[in-house]
Amino acid sequence: MDDRFNTIAGWALFSGIVALGMSSLSSHFFLADKHERPETMGYAITGVEAAGGGAAAVVEPIANRLAKADAAKGEAVFAKCKACHSIDQGGANGIGPNLWAVNGDGIGLGRGGYAFSDALKGKGGKWDFAALDQWLTSPAAYATGTKMSFAGLASPEDRANVILYLNSKGSNLPLPAPVAAAAAGAAAPAGGAALTPAVAMVGDAAAGEKVFAKCKACHSIDQGGANGIGPNLYAIAGDAIGEGRGGYAFSDGLKAHKGNWDAATLDQWLAGPAKFAAGTKMTFAGLEDAKQRADVIAYLNSKGGKLALGAAPAPAGAAK
């Protein structure tokens, strides 16, 4: 019995020595001619960008992308949406609402009584081109709590193509004019992310009047109104920058700009007064929402302004 036990123990010890030796030999083999860490570790995975990669590409304004968009390509991209949405006139709501003539329609309203989420109903406004672009980029980011489970379209071109296709299905709204490169990159918030230019869309003066309510603490706007903390703004659209206004004492930063308050300069000013004119006396932080800026510009222009702005879109259902 003892001999048998000694035999088994001997073989076990021998096996351990062999395993240890093989481990040492194999490690020397795999490290041969490999004294340094390889320049590239592992395998590249197609479609995945390495951490710390280059900066994100600058996205063209939606107006510029729409000018180059293709509705037929948009229809092809929209195929993935048909599991939840119908788009033809008279189509039924499904998991998502019917999308016939959705461009220009109220956000989270109508659509044959579709039960929109509170998050989307709370957005207000209309589905203009910029709002659709934001929504299609990431529905969850646009309206936190939305029922829309679709992650979004990462490609700016795909979004423009889909928006053009949606517009062709019952809306047929006039496309916004493309924005010049200088205007497209001019207005940016303090964080550095480019804002959508308001000049890329048609404003609604009535909506702009509501936004302007927050400006009335400093500005009058009716003809003959007095200057206050800020100047009277009657007929400001198209007027000289930092001049006139009944002798209002403008800051040197604003007076140095010269030129006139056209749509592009008004857009830049409303996006960030302090960025537009360093040292300005204007303490208002600005309007990040491009549609609100477009609406305010339309309202300012309606109060004695001289700018030739595009007409506001006709209400949904109106004769086209």
Side-chain angles (χ1 to χ4, degrees):
M1 187 70 177
D2 288 341
D3 290 342
R4 186 177 181 184
F5 175 79
N6 290 337
T7 300
I8 294 172
W11 276 110
L13 180 60
F14 176 73
S15 298
I17 293 171
V18 170
L20 183 61
M22 291 298 292
S23 175
S24 177
L25 286 172
S26 63
S27 67
H28 284 292
F29 172 79
F30 285 109
L31 287 174
D33 300 322
K34 299 176 181 66
H35 304 298
E36 297 181 1
R37 166 191 178 97
E39 183 176 347
T40 303
M41 299 294 289
Y43 297 90
I45 302 175
T46 303
V48 177
E49 186 177 348
V58 175
V59 177
E60 281 189 293
I62 183 60
N64 296 31
R65 283 180 281 133
L66 283 171
K68 301 179 287 185
D70 185 330
K73 291 181 179 178
E75 183 177 10
V77 177
F78 187 82
K80 65 183 70 176
C81 310
K82 288 185 175 180
C84 297
H85 297 279
S86 62
I87 194 168
D88 293 320
Q89 188 172 17
N93 292 326
I95 296 173
N98 171 266
L99 296 179
W100 170 261
V102 73
N103 286 37
D105 205 9
I107 297 175
L109 302 175
R111 306 283 105 196
Y114 180 82
F116 291 98
S117 65
D118 291 338
L120 197 58
K121 288 189 291 186
K123 294 294 290 186
K126 295 183 178 181
W127 284 119
D128 57 35
F129 298 109
L132 282 167
D133 189 34
Q134 294 174 47
W135 168 256
L136 289 172
T137 301
S138 173
Y142 181 82
T144 304
T146 178
K147 298 189 292 183
M148 177 85 153
S149 59
F150 182 60
L153 296 172
S155 167
E157 289 72 28
D158 281 353
R159 297 197 301 272
N161 291 336
V162 168
I163 292 169
L164 190 66
Y165 172 62
L166 290 172
N167 195 51
S168 74
K169 302 295 282 186
S171 297
N172 302 312
L173 300 181
L175 300 184
V179 183
L195 290 174
T196 302
V199 290
M201 58 190 71
V202 176
D204 182 333
E209 183 175 10
K210 294 178 181 178
V211 178
F212 187 82
K214 65 183 71 177
C215 309
K216 288 186 174 179
C218 298
H219 297 280
S220 61
I221 193 168
D222 293 320
Q223 188 171 16
N227 292 326
I229 297 173
N232 171 269
L233 296 179
Y234 183 79
I236 190 69
D239 202 12
I241 298 174
E243 297 180 15
R245 306 284 104 196
Y248 180 82
F250 290 99
S251 65
D252 291 338
L254 195 58
K255 287 189 292 185
H257 263 275
K258 305 298 183 182
N260 293 330
W261 285 117
D262 58 22
T265 52
L266 282 170
D267 183 25
Q268 294 171 45
W269 170 259
L270 291 171
K275 186 175 181 65
F276 180 83
T280 178
K281 297 189 290 184
M282 178 85 153
T283 58
F284 182 60
L287 296 171
E288 288 196 13
D289 188 295
K291 184 60 170 64
Q292 288 189 350
R293 298 197 306 275
D295 292 342
V296 169
I297 292 169
Y299 174 61
L300 291 173
N301 198 49
S302 74
K303 304 293 282 187
K306 313 168 190 69
L307 303 180
L309 302 179
K320 296 180 174 62

